[in-house]
Amino acid sequence: MIPAATIKEEPAGAARYLLPNEDCVAMVRRHPAVLLPASAYAVAGLLAAFILSATLLRGHTTLILIIWGLWGVLMVRLIWQAINWAVDYFVITSKRILLTSGVFTRSVAMMPLSKVTDMSFRRSLAGRLLGYGEFVVESAGQDQALRTIDHIPYPEDLYRRVCDEIFKQGTEKKGKEDKKGEVLQELDDFELDSEMIANRNPLPEVPDDSYLMDASDDPADEA
C-alpha cells in the first residue's frame, strides 16, 4: 500500500505545478533502485582502486592518483544522480499525470487524463524482487511528452489510482453528454408540443373587410 505521506504532503518543488482546481491523488519519488547502476559503478571502482593501488600500481604515485581520480568521478556521478532522485516526483492529480525532473534546469512532462487511451505497467524480475515497475501510457495524439515512466514504486496501487481517475473522467464526460442530450430533447419536445397546440387551436381568421362592416353601424352614419 502507498504510505499516507505520499498523498497528504506536497513538496514545494512539485506542488508549484499543480492547478488551483485539481486535487493531488498521489505524489511519489522514483524507486531508489534507479540509483543501483551508478552505485554499482562506484563500488566496483572503489574495489578496483584499492586492489590496483595495493598490487600492480604500488610505488607508482601518479598512476594511483589517476585511478583514485577516476573513482572520484564515479562518486560524483552517484551523488549527482542521488540529488536528482531527491527532487524528482511522479504526480497523479484529478486531471493529469506529471513527471518533474532536473535540479538546475527543471523539466515537467505532463499528460492529461482525458487524452489517455490506454495505460499499462510492466515489471521485470528485478522489479518484482525490489518492488518497482514501469508505466506505459498511450495517448490519442501522436506527440507524447510522457509515454514511459520507469522505476515507479507501488506500481499496482498507483496503476489502480490512475485507472480510477481515468474512469472518473470518462464517467463525468458521459454524464455531461447525457445531460446535454436530455436538455436538447426537452427543448425539441417543448417546440413540438407548442406546434401541436398551435395547430389544435388556431386563431380565428379576421376578414379584411370587417372594419367596413362595423363602420356601417356607426350612429353618425344613421343620422
Side-chain angles (χ1 to χ4, degrees):
M1 296 297 293
I2 303 177
T6 61
I7 303 173
K8 296 180 180 179
E9 296 181 2
E10 297 181 2
R16 70 181 64 178
Y17 305 110
L18 301 183
L19 301 176
N21 59 342
E22 66 179 341
D23 299 325
C24 181
V25 177
M27 184 179 296
V28 296
R29 291 187 179 95
R30 286 186 172 182
H31 196 277
V34 72
L35 302 175
L36 284 179
S39 301
Y41 281 118
V43 172
L46 179 61
L47 294 176
F50 267 120
I51 294 173
L52 291 175
S53 299
T55 57
L56 297 178
L57 301 180
R58 180 179 295 180
H60 297 77
T61 306
T62 303
L63 294 177
I64 291 176
L65 290 177
I66 293 174
I67 292 297
W68 284 102
L70 294 175
W71 174 80
V73 172
L74 295 176
M75 195 63 191
V76 170
R77 177 171 175 265
L78 172 60
I79 295 173
W80 177 250
Q81 290 192 6
I83 294 174
N84 277 275
W85 170 81
V87 299
D88 294 352
Y89 288 93
F90 174 64
V91 186
I92 304 171
T93 73
S94 57
K95 296 182 179 294
R96 52 188 177 152
I97 55 178
L98 302 95
L99 182 64
T100 65
S101 60
V103 177
F104 299 112
T105 302
R106 295 293 289 174
S107 175
V108 180
M110 183 270 293
M111 174 72 71
L113 294 177
S114 59
K115 299 294 185 181
V116 176
T117 58
D118 184 34
M119 181 172 180
S120 60
F121 75 91
R122 297 192 291 256
R123 300 191 73 177
S124 61
L125 178 60
R128 297 182 65 182
L129 294 175
L130 299 177
Y132 66 87
E134 180 184 62
F135 281 14
V136 180
V137 181
E138 298 291 341
S139 173
Q142 295 181 354
D143 297 331
Q144 302 181 34
L146 186 63
R147 187 179 187 278
T148 303
I149 315 164
D150 56 4
H151 292 88
I152 296 297
Y154 323 108
E156 288 88 357
D157 291 332
L158 287 176
Y159 177 76
R160 285 195 295 266
R161 294 195 183 200
V162 174
C163 291
D164 184 47
E165 294 299 325
I166 293 174
F167 292 147
K168 284 181 182 179
Q169 294 278 336
T171 303
E172 292 176 358
K173 183 178 180 180
K174 184 178 179 181
K176 290 180 181 179
E177 292 178 353
D178 293 342
K179 186 176 181 181
K180 182 179 179 181
E182 291 177 359
V183 172
L184 293 176
Q185 184 64 36
E186 290 178 359
L187 291 176
D188 293 340
D189 293 343
F190 177 76
E191 293 177 356
L192 181 61
D193 292 342
S194 301
E195 184 178 355
M196 292 177 63
I197 293 174
N199 294 332
R200 190 185 308 160
N201 301 314
L203 294 175
E205 296 182 0
V206 180
D208 295 338
D209 57 349
S210 59
Y211 175 77
L212 296 176
M213 294 176 62
D214 294 339
S216 61
D217 296 335
D218 194 339
D221 294 340
E222 295 177 358

